[in-house]
Structure formats: structure tokens, C-alpha cells
Amino acid sequence: MARVVVLISGRGSNLRALVEAALPVVAVVSNRPDAAGLGFAAERGIATAVVDHKAYADRDSFDTALANAVDAHAPDLVVLAGFMRVLTPGFVRRYAGRLMNVHPSLLPAFPGLDTHARALAAGSKLHGCSVHFVTEALDEGPIVAQAAVPVLDDDSPETLAARVLRQEHRLLPAAVRWFLEGRMAINGARVRVRDTVAHADDTLAEPAP
Ligand code: GRF
């Protein structure tokens, strides 16, 4: 049975989407003791751990403690689902090729924070979310899948965020499933997913029937 460890910092709605898609989430690790997603995980009988970044003097010692908490669950895949800390190169290398993040923009547009407000300020007509493998450069790793949404004239950052979040909840479970099914090959910046069908007028590649 495959094993997925999910790292969170807050609400945990993407974590919930993974669990509700019946993916094998064996543990949830948060850098914040008050993350709401921890309560959800505990309710579902999933192991939880907190590695509070405020308790560590520097990023290296925090990331070492985080890696220990993750490794205790021997994951095949580690998913960053609203995990709001930048990880050290050592941590990223340790999980190379099995560390995925969901980011609320159509990368490479808008890496970093405040993506919805930035998309509005830039006048984007399309916005969305990306699932990508994590590399040492922030939000720059090979893109696994993306979903796009329209930007409407009366959108605020909040209404746009809500529209994007609905797509995150479809995209991340699909990407995790494809990984666990062994259908992904990383080739430089490009990720090939075997046996998926992307229609020209579709926003999200779907598994072949
Ligand atoms: C999501 O939009 C995620 O892409 C971003 O932070 C948000 C986390 O939401 N990095 P949740 O904790 O999964 O509800």
C-alpha cells in the first residue's frame, strides 16, 4: 500500500480533498500547532505531528526535525498542501521526485504569495492553479498538471481564490493518484503522465477511460 504524508500550515481543505478522494494519507505534519487541518486529520484517525518552526533557531534545524517527522511514516510521496514555509535545498533534495506542491496560480506566472490579488492587478483574464514537483527554486519545479478559471469583471481576491480553490480540490487528488499509479515520468522541466487525455477545450487532463 502506497503511503502519502501531507504537510500543512492552516485550514487543510486540500488535505480534506485528498482524504475524501480515498488517497492513502498516513500522516499530516504541520508547522503550526493551531492549523485547523490537524483537527480534521485526527477526526479521521490519521496520525498527526507538529514541528513548530518557532521552536527552531534556523531553517536547517527546523528542516531536519521536519524530515525526521516525515520519515517516521516512510512516505512514497510527500505533498505540500498549503504548507507556507520555504524549505531548504537539503530537504528538497532528500525527497527529490517525490515532493509535490499545489500552488494557486498558473505557473510560471505569480510564484510566491498573494497570487489572486496579483492576477487581478495584472489584468489577467485566466488564472488557476498548478501542481508541481518541488525543486530548490521557489515554485519553479516541473509542472504536473494545471487547471484554469476565468477572471470575472467583479472579482475580488476572495471570490477569485474561492474559484481557484475548487479547482485545487480536483487537481491535487488527480495528480497524487497519477503519481501513485506510477504513470508519471519527469523529463527536465516536463512531466509526462501516461494514459491521460487532455482535450483542447478542457482545463484539466483526465485519466483515460
Ligand atoms: C491553497 O490555495 C494553496 O494552494 C495555498 O494555500 C491554500 C491552502 O489552503 N498554497 P488549504 O489549507 O488547503 O485549505
Side-chain angles (χ1 to χ4, degrees):
M1 182 71 161
R3 303 172 64 80
V4 178
V5 170
V6 181
L7 306 192
I8 63 168
S9 297
R11 182 175 54 185
S13 69
N14 279 293
L15 162 68
R16 180 184 285 265
L18 292 170
V19 171
E20 288 180 348
L23 290 159
V25 177
V26 295
V28 175
V29 183
S30 173
N31 66 304
R32 294 181 57 119
D34 59 351
L38 287 171
F40 166 77
E43 270 168 29
R44 296 298 176 107
I46 298 167
T48 61
V50 174
V51 183
D52 185 347
H53 61 275
K54 293 197 189 110
Y56 295 87
D58 52 39
R59 280 189 195 278
D60 282 327
S61 55
F62 169 70
D63 277 12
T64 300
L66 188 63
N68 288 339
V70 169
D71 287 350
H73 299 280
D76 300 288
L77 176 68
V78 179
V79 178
L80 309 180
F83 183 73
M84 303 305 284
R85 302 291 299 174
V86 175
L87 296 162
T88 56
F91 186 97
V92 170
R93 276 198 297 272
R94 185 184 188 90
Y95 301 103
R98 55 190 181 108
L99 182 60
M100 254 185 211
N101 180 44
V102 59
H103 180 78
S105 78
L106 292 173
L107 291 170
F110 313 123
L113 297 173
D114 299 324
T115 55
H116 310 300
R118 287 160 63 204
L120 289 174
S124 300
K125 298 293 187 194
L126 276 178
H127 186 44
C129 53
S130 307
V131 174
H132 65 96
F133 285 105
V134 177
T135 56
E136 292 177 29
L138 182 70
D139 297 329
E140 270 191 19
I143 294 169
V144 172
Q146 294 184 305
V149 302
V151 178
L152 305 182
D153 288 345
D154 55 358
D155 265 331
S156 64
E158 293 73 28
T159 58
L160 186 53
R163 193 173 309 119
V164 170
L165 192 64
R166 282 196 291 280
Q167 296 304 317
E168 293 183 45
H169 295 165
R170 294 175 66 211
L171 194 69
L172 184 61
V176 168
R177 191 176 304 283
W178 295 336
F179 180 90
L180 296 179
E181 288 172 351
R183 287 159 62 181
M184 267 179 209
I186 308 177
N187 185 1
R190 302 191 71 176
V191 178
R192 182 183 293 268
V193 184
R194 276 189 300 281
D195 303 326
T196 51
V197 183
H199 303 287
D201 58 355
D202 214 1
T203 55
L204 168 58
E206 301 284 0

